[in-house]
Amino acid sequence: MKKIGWYPILMGCGLLFAGLSAQAQDDSATDWVKHDIGKWKAELKMWPQGEGGDPIVFHATENNEMLGDNWIVSNFEGEFGGQAFEGHGVYGFDTKKNCFVATWVDSVNGFMSHYEGKLDVDSNSLELFGKEIDPNTGELVDGKQIRSFKGNDSRLVISYQKPAGSDEFVKIMEMTFTRHK
């Protein structure tokens, strides 16, 4: 009996799984993700103490590229308080969980945020939930993001957190993105 190496078996499995992945994906979710492709200018308004006073405003750029059919890889750069800020995220539609998933890391926090959520087709928005770092305490708290598109060249991301001991989400950041022409 002739021994078969692992490489042909792995290649065959890869082709099989690639076909299953393409069949299993939700086309509306994949189409929604693809709107994020490109270079974006961002204005960020942050309310570290909650949406009571004047926000801290800063600007950044974001470059989003597709990875396969389901994933956006995001590279985010800006300056915050006179210091360089860099962040990287991956988000898209997980065909096994049948929902959107996302991760986020940046140059300020030593924590990787993980999110899951669903697309609301009626409002054309994606609501994601996960754990985040509270900018005031450095502790983990519940976080929520709502992402929406305002036409092909504008989108809005609003971040909320539940402060420790609270049952209510508080708006902490609003990010307005405009497609870089």
Side-chain angles (χ1 to χ4, degrees):
M1 177 182 227
K2 187 175 179 183
K3 191 173 184 180
I4 299 175
W6 283 105
Y7 184 75
I9 294 170
L10 291 174
M11 288 302 294
C13 288
L15 292 172
L16 173 65
F17 289 132
L20 290 175
S21 173
Q23 293 170 358
Q25 73 189 13
D26 180 328
D27 288 335
S28 63
T30 303
D31 290 345
W32 200 87
V33 169
K34 289 178 181 177
H35 281 91
D36 257 356
I37 296 170
K39 293 184 180 188
W40 299 82
K41 296 182 283 185
E43 179 182 84
L44 293 86
K45 295 179 182 176
M46 184 174 182
W47 295 270
Q49 305 297 327
E51 196 180 14
D54 293 332
I56 299 168
V57 178
F58 61 104
H59 296 87
T61 59
E62 183 181 56
N63 186 29
N64 295 328
E65 297 179 359
M66 285 298 295
L67 176 65
D69 290 331
N70 294 18
W71 306 107
I72 287 284
V73 177
S74 176
N75 295 303
F76 189 91
E77 294 179 349
E79 189 175 297
F80 181 70
Q83 301 227 345
F85 177 86
E86 188 175 348
H88 301 282
V90 175
Y91 97 94
F93 190 76
D94 185 313
T95 60
K96 300 300 178 208
K97 291 184 174 184
N98 199 32
C99 69
F100 282 87
V101 296
T103 60
W104 176 258
V105 293
D106 61 49
S107 57
V108 175
N109 295 308
F111 176 74
M112 177 183 279
S113 296
H114 297 267
Y115 302 91
E116 289 189 8
K118 299 276 183 190
L119 180 64
D120 181 346
V121 178
D122 293 335
S123 67
N124 194 31
S125 64
L126 174 62
E127 192 171 57
L128 298 165
F129 294 90
K131 293 289 186 182
E132 298 179 347
I133 299 291
D134 182 322
N136 297 308
T137 66
E139 298 296 320
L140 285 179
V141 295
D142 290 329
K144 174 173 82 169
Q145 276 190 7
I146 299 176
R147 297 168 157 257
S148 58
F149 285 96
K150 309 298 180 193
N152 288 328
D153 296 326
S154 180
R155 60 189 170 94
L156 181 66
V157 178
I158 302 175
S159 292
Y160 302 86
Q161 289 184 345
K162 278 187 189 176
S166 175
D167 291 333
E168 300 292 321
F169 279 104
V170 176
K171 182 177 176 179
I172 63 160
M173 189 179 307
E174 182 176 294
M175 298 170 270
T176 304
F177 293 86
T178 306
R179 191 176 300 278
H180 202 359
K181 302 270 179 178

